[in-house]
């Protein structure tokens, strides 16, 4: 990249921040849709025979706990090694990965490196030895958003093909 003046760097940083904020906002919308879709899959387990009971149970679950509950249901319903069990297990692994990234993005703080065209997510307290930084390009953030969308599409497919 060519050298930027301070003013050009300031403008580039502002534009990069606005673009990243738009992607991050879309992520929050998509992740909340995924969370609701997962919750609905869970409360309609066993063909909705326990709809009220499961709704009362799942309503306060975190996304992590919903994933754990889905794993339990899949373990109960499908034989280990069967195609449905494998598909749910793979989906759950990807969903846990997305959950971890989402948590870092939501709970971390942000800064912009206009010179490297990166949005930096800083995780941890400034005084902590465990503090770490993860740099994201806009393309990488778009990839995370695509992964969340993929999880939603795949969950709907699995829900139809192999209801729990």
């Amino acid at each position: 990249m060519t050298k930027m003046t301070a003013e050009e760097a300031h403008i580039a940083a502002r534009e990069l921040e606005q673009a990243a904020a738009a992607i991050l906002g879309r992520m929050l919308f998509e992740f909340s849709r995924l969370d609701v879709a997962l919750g609905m899959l869970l409360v309609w387990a066993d063909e909705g025979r326990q709809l009220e009971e499961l709704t009362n149970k799942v309503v306060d679950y975190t996304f992590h706990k919903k994933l754990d509950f889905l794993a339990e249901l899949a373990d109960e319903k499908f034989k280990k090694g069967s195609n449905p069990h494998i598909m749910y297990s793979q989906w759950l692994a990807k969903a846990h990965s997305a959950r971890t990234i989402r948590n870092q993005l939501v709970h971390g703080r942000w800064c912009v490196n206009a010179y490297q065209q990166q949005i930096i997510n800083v995780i941890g307290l400034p005084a902590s030895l465990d503090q770490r930084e993860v740099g994201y390009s806009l393309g990488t953030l778009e990839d995370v958003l695509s992964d969340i969308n993929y999880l939603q599409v795949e969950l709907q497919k699995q829900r139809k093909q192999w209801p729990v």
Side-chain angles (χ1 to χ4, degrees), residues 27-146:
M27 274 187 215
L28 291 176
F29 276 86
E30 293 304 322
F31 204 91
S32 67
R33 287 184 185 113
L34 177 61
D35 189 25
V36 169
L38 176 58
M40 293 305 294
L41 177 142
L42 296 174
V43 301
W44 281 96
D46 195 25
E47 299 178 353
R49 289 187 182 98
Q50 303 173 57
L51 180 63
E52 187 175 335
E53 177 186 334
L54 288 176
T55 299
N56 291 332
K57 179 179 179 178
V58 171
V59 70
D60 292 324
Y61 279 9
T62 63
F63 189 75
H64 190 173
K65 192 156 183 170
K66 287 175 187 168
L67 294 176
D68 290 346
F69 187 41
L70 177 57
E72 289 175 29
L73 292 174
D75 285 347
E76 290 172 7
K77 179 136 187 187
F78 306 112
K79 181 181 174 188
K80 288 189 190 225
S82 68
N83 198 36
H85 192 273
I86 290 168
M87 296 304 288
Y88 273 109
S89 295
Q90 290 173 345
W91 185 90
L92 284 161
K94 290 174 186 168
H96 274 294
S97 178
R99 177 189 59 77
T100 300
I101 292 170
R102 188 269 330 248
N103 287 348
Q104 291 170 354
L105 297 178
V106 170
H107 298 293
R109 60 189 184 283
W110 294 93
C111 60
V112 177
N113 183 328
Y115 298 102
Q116 293 183 350
Q117 289 290 293
Q118 284 194 323
I119 303 298
I120 310 296
N121 182 240
V122 184
I123 300 130
L125 292 172
S128 171
L129 297 176
D130 294 328
Q131 177 181 287
R132 59 190 167 87
E133 298 178 0
V134 179
Y136 293 93
S137 67
L138 293 177
T140 305
L141 289 176
E142 285 283 358
D143 290 345
V144 173
L145 176 60
S146 292

